[in-house]
Amino acid sequence: MAGFNFLNEFFLFPLSGKLQPILATATETEVEPAMVVAGVLLSLVAIYIASKAGGEFFNWLGFPPVLGELVGGVVIGISALNLVIFPESGADSSASVVISILEATAGLAPDAAEATFQVQSEVLEVLSELGVIILLFEIGLESNIRDLMQVGIQSLIVAIVGVTLPFVAGTAGMMMIFHVSAVPAIFAGAALTATSIGITSRVLAEINRLNTQEGQIILGAAVIDDVLGIIILAVVASLAKTGEVDVVNAIYLIISASVFLVGAILLGRFFNDTFVFFGEKFKTRGRAVIPALTIALFMSYIGTAIHLEAILGAFAAGLVLDNLDQTEVGRELEELIRPISDVVVPIFFVTVGTKTNLGVLNPAIPTNREGLVIAIFLIVVAIVGKVACGFSVFGLENINRLAVGVGMVPRGEVGLVFASVGSASGALSPALDVAIILMVIITTFLAPPLLRVVFGEGEAEEVTETSG
Amino acid sequence: MAGFNFLNEFFLFPLSGKLQPILATATETEVEPAMVVAGVLLSLVAIYIASKAGGEFFNWLGFPPVLGELVGGVVIGISALNLVIFPESGADSSASVVISILEATAGLAPDAAEATFQVQSEVLEVLSELGVIILLFEIGLESNIRDLMQVGIQSLIVAIVGVTLPFVAGTAGMMMIFHVSAVPAIFAGAALTATSIGITSRVLAEINRLNTQEGQIILGAAVIDDVLGIIILAVVASLAKTGEVDVVNAIYLIISASVFLVGAILLGRFFNDTFVFFGEKFKTRGRAVIPALTIALFMSYIGTAIHLEAILGAFAAGLVLDNLDQTEVGRELEELIRPISDVVVPIFFVTVGTKTNLGVLNPAIPTNREGLVIAIFLIVVAIVGKVACGFSVFGLENINRLAVGVGMVPRGEVGLVFASVGSASGALSPALDVAIILMVIITTFLAPPLLRVVFGEGEAEEVTETSG
């Protein structure tokens, strides 16, 4: 019970005259709530500066801003400046620059530093989790069930092949070549599965290829891909909790994740009608956003409660809120969810960056070299697996199968979600974690220039432009 | 040091193979991060449902929605349903319905319940603090320095009298009649000072009196009132930390709060130019909101670091970001800060409600009666003090001095901020805390009907309507 005293004290501190008997003997340092708030505020300032500095710089270079946010996080995190770091890295408060600044400028007592560091980190972890929940909710809102039903057989096959090939090759390779045990191997394989819809569609739009046959197949496949990937992620993360792969359990989890998603979609009309009903009745501020967010948070809770993942619920909630453009409150939601996502999602990406310890891949240290080799292996499987799936397109004349495959290469946001969940579940070693993040970065960097090459940039004029 | 183990375990849990030696002997229950997230998600669902149910119902009744959010919080909180409760009330996890639901539906282990409850509460506390920071930032954005400079001598006098009268009468009464010690007495007095701009201006607009001479004096006074109130609040909260009123310290604090605000205003052009410069250069999502929020969080940090209040910094940041309607990025900020505020501010109001224990005023229990008498005293001082300040208007013919005074009565959001800061600082007894909240509720309820009466509702036609 001794461990609770600290938190009891933290909370009961304002009522110190009324402390429960158990606290009368406690000797721990009290944490000032104001110092925790100060630490969170300062960390958020660092996170936002990193997100904008990185995002804008990468955007200016012609790369997806999300990669810049990640790299911004790497700069302020454990790899470099140590501004925002987390205890899970093994670091203590003396390594945290934010804590040092609090000591120097806000009068944080040195003996309260460690406890303040712990509590502050915990709050940032939950903020980052809320960020990824909103991210997946928004991705769900952008996908919709009608599109999923209409993607066509070509997209379905490309998606299934594009998920299976890298997953099997990645998992088998990790186990057979690198003798990694089953759970981390499956995690690495799973992280190779999901294409980023956001990045792919942006690049296709930029080179005016969104409405070509290839573009439509790629987009359809990327949507299904996301659904398959999120199911795999939920299953793998749940397996990681026990640490071993039990086939019966795995089948049970696949079924429960699928039932959850399908059930959510079948109940979709109910959720959607509830949202529209309340949204249109409501007259006060937040009338569209609060009901939608309540549904998203509730389904995220269900996802967590059934021992899958919160993000599975958030994605399902986004998926079922459909036909938004047909109601006033739906259009309001589409518009107003963006600024909310703009402020919470970067917390997630930057936090992933801060936890990425590039040091574990420093080639000067001999024991790190295996990690580097693993990273190279994952990158090769990630690219070859997706490029190969393009060749599963059948029966169409004059289709650029190579372009379809290359279009499936970027992993982007979704890959980072995989790395983050894997790392939090404890299944991934630091080296494997960094290897997956490097795989995401490299595939996302390579996709835009490669797509331009395989489509042949000069021929874009023949296609009507459909997107700004 | 024993107290740290719990948190170390919480964070290092994913890396259990790598725990530091100190943890090898730890015997506390491990907290699953997923359970903390689940608890926060479920609490937020309850908070949002309470905020909308209460807000919409009160709006439908013709009262300010913010009061409904507060009452919604009272319903789900310690006074009634015990859905969302906090350890500072003395309650433990067995009283929390959210924790019971986690045990029943998400498999939370009973021996991890207490620790999960503590961590979850702590995260909600910080989310609520971020809510009030955004609230004050938005109030600051709505006020602006030019208006402050131009309110005119009448508004200035009404504001000063309207702050001084209730403050002095409240503090003196608490000390002399109720024999309360100096710090809580000053807190109660301070909570009587600040008029709610938001509620006053909404009611004036509804009865078409915003552009009358009385309306302009009220609005000007309410703006100055806010500034004076926030300075008083910062000073009082700081005094509460030591628990005694040291005159030298009080003077030092008044000076540092004023210097901070004036300094922020003087540096305002710099902050404003920085915001516009980066906002207009930026091309990625969140280009207006992230720079503005970074400034707000940074100034909130400064407010905390100099041992005043985070909200003083947030308000100052809102005040210095000025002339927003003259730049594209400024207009974007004005529009996009609203949805963000819509989702975080209700967390603050509902949380204040959940912590309000109406039980301490139950008149059936004899020891509670003094608390009730205090509440009645505060309500009388609150109304009489502000109504009286209306009569400090001088030299104007045909002015409705009673209407000016009545217009200053509603305390609304700002009064709730005072109650919350006071309660968190430990200065207020539960009864005094509830008495202040009742004062806020009653003054805010009374103001709209009273204003209609004193202005004489039938004459509204002669005034041009300026606000929807």
Side-chain angles (χ1 to χ4, degrees):
Chain A
M1 286 299 291
F4 303 153
N5 296 354
F6 155 71
L7 281 168
N8 274 332
E9 273 203 47
F10 172 63
F11 277 102
L12 294 173
F13 166 62
L15 299 171
S16 42
K18 313 198 143 205
L19 293 181
Q20 292 156 353
I22 189 177
L23 295 180
T25 59
T27 54
E28 293 90 359
T29 323
E30 282 173 350
V31 174
E32 263 189 79
M35 285 300 133
V36 174
V37 171
V40 172
L41 291 174
L42 207 53
S43 302
L44 287 177
V45 167
I47 286 171
Y48 283 140
I49 291 176
S51 86
K52 269 282 153 262
E56 290 292 333
F57 181 61
F58 273 61
N59 187 57
W60 180 76
L61 291 175
F63 291 114
V66 59
L67 285 184
E69 297 181 0
L70 181 73
V71 172
V74 171
V75 171
I76 63 168
I78 190 80
S79 294
L81 297 182
N82 283 307
L83 259 164
V84 178
I85 58 175
F86 289 85
E88 62 175 42
S89 66
D92 68 8
S93 63
S94 62
S96 160
V97 175
V98 161
I99 294 291
S100 307
I101 297 177
L102 289 182
E103 287 179 346
T105 65
L108 173 65
D111 57 354
E114 187 62 31
T116 305
F117 175 57
Q118 303 280 357
V119 179
Q120 162 205 309
S121 301
E122 190 173 320
V123 173
L124 291 174
E125 294 270 6
V126 176
L127 287 175
S128 160
E129 178 77 18
L130 289 174
V132 69
I133 284 174
I134 300 293
L135 172 70
L136 270 283
F137 178 54
E138 211 189 1
I139 293 180
L141 282 177
E142 282 163 12
S143 325
N144 72 60
I145 302 166
R146 279 169 307 166
D147 291 357
L148 269 180
M149 300 299 174
Q150 290 169 3
V151 289
I153 190 75
Q154 297 287 359
S155 289
L156 186 67
I157 289 172
V158 169
I160 292 174
V161 175
V163 164
T164 312
L165 274 188
F167 178 63
V168 171
T171 308
M174 291 305 292
M175 291 180 74
M176 294 193 293
I177 307 175
F178 299 102
H179 308 292
V180 168
S181 60
V183 168
I186 294 179
F187 234 118
L192 298 170
T193 56
T195 296
S196 162
I197 305 176
I199 291 168
T200 303
S201 61
R202 223 194 59 164
V203 176
L204 287 173
E206 271 173 14
I207 60 174
N208 290 336
R209 298 296 182 155
L210 209 49
N211 279 4
T212 57
Q213 218 172 11
E214 290 88 352
Q216 289 299 303
I217 294 177
I218 293 171
L219 275 195
V223 171
I224 302 180
D225 206 295
D226 257 12
V227 178
L228 295 176
I230 288 169
I231 293 178
I232 293 177
L233 174 66
V235 171
V236 176
S238 196
L239 289 177
K241 282 169 197 156
T242 59
E244 44 190 69
V245 182
D246 168 356
V247 176
V248 177
N249 191 23
I251 292 172
Y252 165 78
L253 285 168
I254 292 172
I255 292 174
S256 65
S258 310
V259 166
F260 178 68
L261 260 191
V262 172
I265 291 172
L266 292 180
L267 288 173
R269 181 174 287 276
F270 166 74
F271 282 114
N272 209 8
D273 291 353
T274 308
F275 163 69
V276 172
F277 175 81
F278 282 109
E280 306 223 309
K281 277 246 154 66
F282 286 174
K283 305 222 167 348
T284 59
R285 284 180 60 167
R287 64 180 199 135
V289 173
I290 298 274
L293 214 53
T294 306
I295 293 174
L297 296 175
F298 177 71
M299 291 184 67
S300 300
Y301 168 72
I302 303 282
T304 315
I306 60 175
H307 295 272
L308 292 166
E309 286 290 313
I311 51 171
L312 180 70
F315 178 75
L319 213 51
V320 302
L321 293 185
D322 219 341
N323 297 323
L324 291 181
D325 49 343
Q326 283 166 37
T327 58
E328 195 193 325
V329 71
R331 286 188 293 271
E332 208 171 307
L333 173 64
E334 275 188 318
E335 191 186 321
L336 298 185
I337 197 75
R338 284 180 64 99
I340 295 164
S341 143
D342 290 349
V343 298
V344 290
V345 175
I347 301 176
F348 169 71
F349 288 123
V350 174
T351 301
V352 171
T354 63
K355 292 177 174 174
T356 305
N357 190 350
L358 294 185
V360 301
L361 291 191
N362 180 354
I365 301 167
T367 52
N368 285 346
R369 288 181 196 152
E370 183 166 309
L372 268 180
V373 176
I374 291 178
I376 293 168
F377 169 76
L378 288 180
I379 292 167
V380 171
V381 174
I383 296 173
V384 172
K386 286 291 186 188
V387 170
C389 81
F391 291 91
S392 63
V393 174
F394 64 95
L396 292 175
E397 301 282 324
N398 291 328
I399 193 143
N400 190 336
R401 291 182 169 76
L402 183 63
V404 172
V406 170
M408 302 292 291
V409 165
R411 300 307 195 278
E413 308 89 327
V414 187
L416 295 177
V417 173
F418 273 71
S420 155
V421 171
S423 163
S425 77
L428 301 178
S429 68
L432 192 47
D433 182 35
V434 177
I436 291 175
I437 290 176
L438 277 185
M439 178 277 292
V440 171
I441 293 180
I442 304 284
T443 55
T444 307
F445 268 126
L446 284 179
L450 282 184
L451 262 181
R452 288 194 177 87
V453 170
V454 294
F455 267 118
E457 208 154 2
E459 307 156 33
E461 290 78 23
E462 71 199 51
V463 186
T464 342
E465 183 157 1
T466 55
S467 167
Chain B
M1 288 295 291
F4 303 153
N5 295 353
F6 157 71
L7 281 169
N8 274 332
E9 274 203 45
F10 173 64
F11 277 101
L12 294 173
F13 166 64
L15 299 171
S16 44
K18 315 198 144 205
L19 294 181
Q20 292 156 355
I22 189 177
L23 296 179
T25 60
T27 56
E28 294 91 356
T29 322
E30 282 173 349
V31 174
E32 264 189 78
M35 286 299 131
V36 174
V37 171
V40 171
L41 291 174
L42 207 52
S43 303
L44 287 177
V45 168
I47 286 171
Y48 283 141
I49 291 176
S51 85
K52 270 282 150 261
E56 290 292 332
F57 181 61
F58 273 60
N59 187 55
W60 181 77
L61 292 175
F63 291 113
V66 59
L67 284 184
E69 296 181 1
L70 181 72
V71 171
V74 171
V75 172
I76 64 167
I78 190 80
S79 294
L81 296 181
N82 282 307
L83 260 164
V84 179
I85 58 176
F86 289 85
E88 63 175 42
S89 66
D92 68 8
S93 63
S94 61
S96 160
V97 175
V98 161
I99 293 292
S100 307
I101 297 177
L102 289 183
E103 288 179 346
T105 66
L108 174 63
D111 58 354
E114 188 62 32
T116 305
F117 175 57
Q118 303 280 356
V119 179
Q120 162 204 309
S121 302
E122 188 174 318
V123 173
L124 290 173
E125 293 272 5
V126 176
L127 287 176
S128 161
E129 178 78 19
L130 289 175
V132 69
I133 285 174
I134 300 293
L135 172 71
L136 271 283
F137 178 54
E138 211 188 1
I139 294 179
L141 281 178
E142 282 163 12
S143 326
N144 72 58
I145 302 166
R146 279 169 308 163
D147 290 356
L148 270 181
M149 300 299 175
Q150 289 169 5
V151 289
I153 190 76
Q154 298 286 2
S155 288
L156 186 65
I157 289 171
V158 169
I160 291 173
V161 175
V163 163
T164 313
L165 274 187
F167 179 63
V168 172
T171 307
M174 292 304 293
M175 291 179 76
M176 293 193 294
I177 307 176
F178 300 101
H179 309 291
V180 167
S181 61
V183 167
I186 294 179
F187 234 117
L192 298 170
T193 56
T195 296
S196 162
I197 306 176
I199 290 168
T200 303
S201 61
R202 225 196 55 162
V203 176
L204 287 173
E206 271 172 15
I207 59 175
N208 290 336
R209 299 294 184 157
L210 209 51
N211 279 5
T212 58
Q213 217 172 11
E214 289 88 353
Q216 290 300 304
I217 293 178
I218 294 171
L219 276 195
V223 171
I224 302 181
D225 205 297
D226 257 12
V227 178
L228 295 177
I230 287 169
I231 292 177
I232 293 177
L233 174 66
V235 171
V236 176
S238 197
L239 289 177
K241 281 169 198 156
T242 59
E244 43 189 70
V245 182
D246 169 356
V247 176
V248 177
N249 191 23
I251 293 171
Y252 164 78
L253 286 167
I254 293 171
I255 293 173
S256 64
S258 311
V259 166
F260 177 68
L261 260 191
V262 172
I265 291 171
L266 292 180
L267 288 173
R269 182 174 288 275
F270 166 74
F271 282 115
N272 210 8
D273 291 352
T274 308
F275 163 68
V276 172
F277 175 80
F278 281 109
E280 306 223 310
K281 276 248 155 67
F282 285 174
K283 304 219 166 353
T284 61
R285 284 180 60 168
R287 64 179 198 137
V289 173
I290 298 272
L293 214 54
T294 306
I295 293 173
L297 297 175
F298 178 70
M299 291 183 68
S300 300
Y301 169 72
I302 303 282
T304 314
I306 60 177
H307 294 272
L308 292 165
E309 287 290 312
I311 52 173
L312 180 70
F315 179 75
L319 213 51
V320 301
L321 293 186
D322 220 342
N323 298 324
L324 290 182
D325 49 343
Q326 282 165 37
T327 58
E328 195 194 326
V329 71
R331 285 187 295 271
E332 207 172 307
L333 172 64
E334 276 187 317
E335 191 186 321
L336 297 185
I337 196 75
R338 284 180 65 97
I340 295 164
S341 142
D342 290 348
V343 298
V344 291
V345 175
I347 301 177
F348 169 71
F349 288 124
V350 175
T351 301
V352 171
T354 65
K355 292 177 176 175
T356 305
N357 190 351
L358 294 184
V360 301
L361 292 191
N362 180 355
I365 301 166
T367 51
N368 285 346
R369 289 183 194 148
E370 183 166 311
L372 268 179
V373 177
I374 291 180
I376 293 167
F377 169 77
L378 287 181
I379 292 167
V380 171
V381 173
I383 295 173
V384 173
K386 286 291 185 187
V387 170
C389 80
F391 293 90
S392 64
V393 175
F394 63 96
L396 293 176
E397 301 281 323
N398 289 329
I399 193 145
N400 189 338
R401 291 183 169 76
L402 182 63
V404 171
V406 170
M408 301 293 291
V409 165
R411 301 306 196 278
E413 308 88 327
V414 188
L416 295 177
V417 173
F418 273 71
S420 156
V421 171
S423 163
S425 77
L428 301 177
S429 69
L432 192 46
D433 182 35
V434 177
I436 292 176
I437 289 176
L438 278 185
M439 177 279 290
V440 171
I441 292 180
I442 304 285
T443 54
T444 307
F445 267 126
L446 284 179
L450 283 183
L451 262 182
R452 288 194 177 90
V453 170
V454 295
F455 267 119
E457 207 155 1
E459 308 156 33
E461 290 78 23
E462 71 199 50
V463 186
T464 340
E465 183 159 3
T466 54
S467 167

